[in-house]
Amino acid sequence: VLPVVSTVYRTDAPDRVTRLHDYGASESAARVRMLRRRPLRVLAYNALFPLVTETYIPDEMRALTANGFTLAWCTVHPSDSPVEVEEPTYADLDEAVRRADPDVLVLYWATFAIEQLADLEHIGRPFAVRVHSFDFERSTVERLRNHPLCIGVWAYPHLAATVDGVYPLVSLLTTRGPAPEPGHERTVVLSASAGLPKKDWPVLVGAFAELARSGADCRIIVGRTHQHHDELDVLRGLIAESGAPVSLVVDVPHDEVLAQLADTALVVYTHTSGDYPFGMPRSIIEGMHAGTSVLLPDRSEAELTAGP
């Protein structure tokens, strides 16, 4: 059809990829050349997002978009307390992959990633996993780390240190909340957390009630969480039983929580002892960033976040 030689393809070059033993390095080099020509496309795949109690997820993902990456979201379950996101959001993984065409998927949490392994293998795209404290189980993490499609597993430092090859997370500080002006009077005692049974509500409400009777402005901010709606009833009952003027607000947008930190003297984080694991409390990190005092359980993991 075309009466000229258009291409000469030779097979005797000594440095052909198929003749090299280190195929992985060759593939990586090819991918680097490709990605230099366009932004890396990331699909954040979650069980429960967008969700007001999981604000660390968009902040961590937007640390990627701030560096030029393209982001899309995919979630399995409808959100109990939804928040708005700017990027495309899908409820079906196949549709998300078809339309967003991601180079890599990022999954939040280890338990969710294990549940989705069959679908991930069907899709065949590389994936990364961000582990939480509540689902850090050694054999699960090792299985994910060893999966041929997994490019990395990240966990809190005190947990990452227990499994070879797991990367320690660093705390991402938000800059959306303005620091209070010098001389600003701080009068609020604040607890901001997800509505989970590990928060030791009796201790928190008992302490806040005593402070409130002494005139302190005590506020508890709670986000509704999947399968734990009854925690709000427990908390409301304890506050009513105390008879103290302790404020309770549910599902407050993250920016509004940050704004309250300017008036906060003390951020309190309570935690039930026993089998509940300890993570890296975002309210404590943001409280320190805003210049408040913080109160944490006396645990070695807490020192990693707030210092001795």
Side-chain angles (χ1 to χ4, degrees), residues 11-55:
T11 61
D12 58 352
D15 58 349
R16 295 178 73 230
V17 170
T18 49
R19 293 192 178 191
L20 300 177
H21 294 291
D22 192 354
Y23 301 120
S26 299
E27 181 182 5
S28 295
R31 287 183 178 275
V32 166
R33 287 197 298 271
M34 176 188 72
L35 294 173
R36 282 175 179 162
R37 300 188 183 106
R38 64 162 176 78
L40 186 77
R41 293 190 288 258
V42 178
L43 178 65
Y45 185 33
N46 301 281
L48 295 165
F49 189 80
L51 193 66
V52 72
T53 57
E54 313 297 341
T55 52

Side-chain angles (χ1 to χ4, degrees), residues 151-287:
I151 63 170
V153 177
W154 281 260
Y156 296 129
H158 58 285
L159 299 173
T162 65
V163 179
D164 292 339
V166 174
Y167 301 109
L169 282 163
V170 296
S171 301
L172 292 180
L173 295 179
T174 180
T175 56
R176 288 181 288 172
E181 295 294 328
H184 187 95
E185 184 179 5
R186 296 176 180 269
T187 59
V188 174
V189 181
L190 179 68
S191 169
S193 67
L196 296 170
K198 69 177 182 178
K199 298 301 181 181
D200 202 346
W201 303 126
V203 166
L204 178 66
V205 173
F208 273 35
E210 187 172 341
L211 287 167
R213 293 190 193 99
S214 301
D217 182 355
C218 295
R219 305 177 187 178
I220 300 175
I221 298 175
V222 175
R224 287 179 297 168
T225 56
H226 190 58
Q227 297 180 341
H228 290 289
H229 291 179
D230 56 338
E231 290 300 308
L232 294 177
D233 294 331
V234 171
L235 190 50
R236 290 189 183 103
L238 289 169
I239 293 174
E241 184 180 336
S242 75
V246 177
S247 170
L248 173 64
V249 187
V250 179
D251 291 345
V252 178
H254 189 215
D255 287 344
E256 294 182 22
V257 177
L258 294 175
Q260 293 192 41
L261 289 175
D263 301 320
T264 299
L266 177 66
V267 173
V268 179
Y269 184 89
T270 52
H271 192 277
T272 304
S273 60
D275 296 333
Y276 289 106
F278 194 91
M280 190 184 291
R282 187 172 174 84
S283 61
I284 293 298
I285 294 168
E286 290 177 343

Side-chain angles (χ1 to χ4, degrees), residues 82 89 106 111 120 123 129 136 185 187 197 200-201 206 221 244 248 265-266 305:
T89 303
V106 179
T111 48
L120 293 171
I123 291 168
V129 182
F136 190 92
E185 184 179 5
T187 59
D200 202 346
W201 303 126
I221 298 175
L248 173 64
L266 177 66
T305 300

